[in-house]
Amino acid sequence: MHEQIAALIAAYTRPLLPKPSDDEVRSARFAEIERSLIAEISPSEEGVHLVRWVHRARELTAFATDRGRFPRENNRAPAGTISRTESSLHEWVRLQRRATSRDRHCAYQIRRLELIAGFSWDPHGDAWERRFAEYRLFITEHRRAPRARSESASESGLAYWGAEQRAQHRRGRLDPVRVAALRALSIWTW
């Protein structure tokens, strides 16, 4: 039985790291963490589960490196547009981000996910923060709010983002921390 588990571990730990990217340090860090982890894994059910987890993390890394993006699920796309592999990886990432799953991750798993370029525990929150920073920069540079009817697509996009924040606030769906951040802007009206 011990030999079977060792063979399974070997099958799941064969090198799957993507081709070296511009970030050599990141790839070297992946390899270093995984070598130390695999050396310490016991041939228990938990150990095999962790090795499978490492394999999935490597698949995700390879996917993100090859495609330059994270797997996605587009429910509006025609059936078959998203491959089964991409859909499966998307579901795996969603599971990793759940608070209940995150609480069960060991320190290695948390670090491993955070080392994958583009990984975020809260991608929607991060997107909001980026857009907020763009909005704040715009009003700092132009000393006015963005205009929806601007000829600049980026300016009108910021104006529509601001309008969506106001609409979310009216509906009571805007997080109080975000409300406070928007109120702190030098130019903001509800």
Side-chain angles (χ1 to χ4, degrees):
M1 170 104 167
H2 179 57
E3 288 135 16
Q4 290 172 326
I5 292 174
L8 182 62
I9 290 172
Y12 276 103
T13 58
R14 66 183 183 277
L16 289 176
L17 288 175
K19 326 177 254 267
S21 65
D22 295 340
D23 193 354
E24 294 291 331
V25 174
R26 185 181 306 265
S27 295
R29 186 74 178 131
F30 284 162
E32 175 190 331
I33 291 169
E34 287 169 356
R35 272 194 303 275
S36 66
L37 171 76
I38 290 167
E40 296 173 14
I41 289 178
S42 65
S44 64
E45 186 176 321
E46 247 180 42
V48 172
H49 172 74
L50 190 54
V51 170
R52 287 182 181 149
W53 189 96
V54 169
H55 180 68
R56 276 309 255 181
R58 286 178 170 185
E59 285 180 65
L60 176 62
T61 302
F63 181 95
T65 300
D66 291 345
R67 307 232 177 133
R69 63 175 174 80
F70 258 65
R72 59 184 167 222
E73 178 181 68
N74 186 344
N75 293 330
R76 297 179 196 134
T81 304
I82 305 246
S83 71
R84 286 185 183 178
T85 301
E86 182 169 3
S87 182
S88 172
L89 280 171
H90 170 77
E91 286 302 315
W92 186 80
V93 170
R94 281 183 48 192
L95 176 66
Q96 303 312 304
R97 287 179 177 142
R98 287 188 192 146
T100 54
S101 294
R102 200 177 330 161
D103 291 344
R104 286 184 265 158
H105 287 334
C106 66
Y108 160 77
Q109 290 171 310
I110 292 168
R111 283 194 315 264
R112 177 65 168 92
L113 288 169
E114 290 172 350
L115 284 172
I116 300 172
F119 179 81
S120 168
W121 291 105
D122 181 14
H124 295 292
D126 292 347
W128 191 92
E129 291 294 331
R130 280 191 303 274
R131 202 63 167 156
F132 175 75
E134 290 172 17
Y135 195 96
R136 184 178 51 217
L137 180 63
F138 182 91
I139 62 173
T140 301
E141 288 178 352
H142 299 278
R143 296 189 177 133
R144 64 175 174 80
R147 297 180 184 133
R149 295 185 182 173
S150 171
E151 291 181 15
S152 164
S154 62
E155 181 179 354
S156 62
L158 287 172
Y160 284 114
W161 179 85
E164 180 59 28
Q165 303 315 300
R166 290 179 189 92
Q168 293 292 331
H169 182 262
R170 280 191 302 276
R171 293 183 199 117
R173 294 183 185 161
L174 191 60
D175 183 89
V177 173
R178 292 178 180 176
V179 170
L182 290 166
R183 281 190 176 139
L185 291 172
S186 60
I187 300 172
W188 182 263
T189 58
W190 293 106

